[in-house]
């Protein structure tokens, strides 16, 4: 009987704890599920709303940015149109100094072939024709600032146009090798002063017109004209080679091309005003 009581009591002892364990385990399993539901609800409500808010704010920001860009472009275009025509024409004519510089450097490659065959130059002499332009440029450039202060910015450009004309005549009527070197040296001297005068003239004229915002863009046209001068020289050499086939085409390339550009600049700059800052310095 004692053994039977133990058998009957043993299951009763462990039945309740086992049931309690199962109930507690089920309760533990249910609570995380409730927490997960709460977290998911909060994530859907908060995260979804935040995502929609972020999307709306991004849209509004992009829309406002597009409006700002349009306003900036319209204001810049209106400010460019407000530049006086005199300032634009002065920039155009002064930039021919860069055009002349680029033309003098680029035309050598197209003119050397006819020059060598016409004058019977050696390779070293042909190299000297190219280098003498840079020698003149190096000699005259240090005096460019002095010429601008002494004569004026506009007047310096006009005087260098006369020097370019002299160089073009020397090259066009050259009869020997030394005359060609002299013409190239004179052209280099003119380029050295003309570039300095053109940059100073455009910068000071833009400052006097109270267009400081566009002063850098206007001055950079001189540098852009240098590249344009290379293009003009290549096109001129190509046309001379293909269409004219003139044995002494170097005379036209060196002489006529330089003379035409210098003449256009002289005619245009003679109608432009002098730099107001230079006039103020001279009283």
């Amino acid at each position: 009987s004692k053994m039977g009581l133990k058998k009957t009591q043993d299951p009763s002892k462990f039945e309740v704890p086992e049931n309690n364990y199962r109930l507690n385990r089920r309760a533990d399993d249910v609570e995380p599920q409730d927490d997960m539901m709460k977290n998911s609800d909060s994530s859907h409500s908060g995260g979804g709303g935040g995502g929609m808010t972020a999307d709306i704010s991004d849209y509004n920001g992009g829309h406002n940015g597009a409006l700002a860009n349009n306003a900036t472009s319209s204001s810049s275009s209106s400010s460019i149109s407000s530049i006086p025509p005199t300032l634009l024409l002065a920039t155009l004519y002064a930039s021919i100094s860069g055009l002349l510089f680029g033309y003098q450097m680029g035309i050598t490659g197209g003119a050397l072939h006819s020059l060598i065959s016409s004058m019977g130059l050696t390779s070293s002499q042909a190299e000297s024709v190219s280098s003498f332009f840079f020698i003149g440029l190096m000699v005259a450039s240090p005096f460019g600032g002095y010429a601008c202060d002494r004569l004026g910015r506009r007047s310096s450009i006009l005087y260098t146009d006369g020097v370019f004309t002299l160089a073009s005549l020397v090259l066009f009527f050259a009869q020997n090798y030394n005359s060609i070197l002299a013409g190239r040296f004179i052209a280099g001297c003119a380029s050295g002063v003309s570039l300095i005068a053109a940059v100073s003239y455009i910068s000071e004229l833009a400052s006097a017109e109270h267009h400081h915002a566009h002063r850098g863009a206007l001055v950079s046209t001189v540098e852009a004209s240098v590249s344009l001068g290379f293009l003009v020289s290549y096109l001129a050499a190509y046309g001379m080679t293909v269409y004219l086939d003139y044995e002494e085409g170097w005379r036209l390339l060196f002489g006529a091309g330089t003379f035409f550009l210098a003449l256009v600049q002289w005619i245009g700059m003679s109608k432009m005003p002098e730099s107001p800052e230079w006039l103020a310095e001279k009283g």
Side-chain angles (χ1 to χ4, degrees):
S1 61
K2 292 182 181 180
M3 292 299 292
L5 181 59
K6 290 182 180 179
K7 289 182 180 179
T8 55
Q9 287 179 351
D10 290 338
S12 63
K13 289 181 181 179
F14 296 101
E15 184 175 0
V16 175
E18 184 177 0
N19 291 333
N20 291 335
Y21 172 74
R22 290 178 180 177
L23 292 174
N24 292 332
R25 186 177 62 181
R26 289 178 182 177
D28 295 337
D29 292 339
V30 171
E31 288 177 358
Q33 292 179 359
D34 294 338
D35 295 336
M36 290 175 62
M37 292 297 292
K38 293 178 181 179
N39 294 331
S40 62
D41 292 339
S42 62
S43 63
H44 283 295
S45 61
M52 293 178 64
T53 305
D55 294 338
I56 293 173
S57 62
D58 291 340
Y59 172 76
N60 291 331
H63 184 65
N64 294 331
L67 293 177
N69 291 331
N70 293 331
T72 304
S73 61
S74 62
S75 62
S76 61
S77 61
S78 62
S79 60
I80 292 175
S81 62
S82 64
I83 299 177
T86 303
L87 180 57
L88 293 177
L89 287 176
T91 303
L92 177 64
Y93 290 128
S95 298
I96 299 179
S97 297
L99 186 64
L100 280 164
F101 177 69
Y103 181 83
Q104 293 297 323
M105 288 195 299
I107 201 61
T108 307
L112 278 181
H113 179 71
S114 61
L115 180 62
I116 292 174
S117 61
S118 175
M119 301 292 292
L121 302 180
T122 62
S123 59
S124 60
Q125 289 176 336
E127 293 174 358
S128 298
V129 172
S130 300
S131 61
F132 258 65
F133 171 78
F134 297 99
I135 294 176
L137 187 70
M138 180 182 63
V139 170
S141 294
F143 301 98
Y146 174 78
C148 291
D149 293 336
R150 180 74 175 177
L151 305 174
R153 283 62 162 154
R154 169 180 167 272
S155 299
S156 297
I157 296 176
L158 293 175
Y159 280 119
T160 53
D161 288 331
V163 178
F164 273 120
T165 302
L166 176 62
S168 65
L169 294 176
V170 171
L171 289 169
F172 186 80
F173 295 104
Q175 299 298 322
N176 51 48
Y177 170 68
N178 293 329
S179 299
I180 297 173
L181 294 183
R184 292 291 290 169
F185 179 81
I186 296 172
C189 293
S191 294
V193 178
S194 181
L195 281 175
I196 298 174
V199 173
S200 301
Y201 178 73
I202 296 174
S203 177
E204 294 177 1
L205 199 63
S207 300
E209 295 289 343
H210 302 289
H211 290 279
H212 302 281
H214 303 287
R215 182 173 58 185
L218 294 175
V219 173
S220 64
T221 56
V222 179
E223 184 177 356
S225 298
V226 176
S227 301
L228 182 61
F230 275 100
L231 178 61
V232 171
S233 66
Y234 293 153
L235 292 177
Y238 177 79
M240 181 66 63
T241 304
V242 175
Y243 296 104
L244 293 181
D245 195 16
Y246 181 46
E247 183 180 359
E248 294 188 347
W250 59 271
R251 297 183 183 273
L252 296 177
L253 295 175
F254 279 138
T258 304
F259 176 79
F260 175 75
L261 294 176
L263 180 62
V264 171
Q265 187 180 37
W266 186 87
I267 294 174
M269 288 300 299
S270 62
K271 301 177 182 179
M272 295 294 106
E274 182 57 86
S275 170
E277 292 190 12
W278 183 81
L279 293 175
E281 290 177 0
K282 296 302 178 180

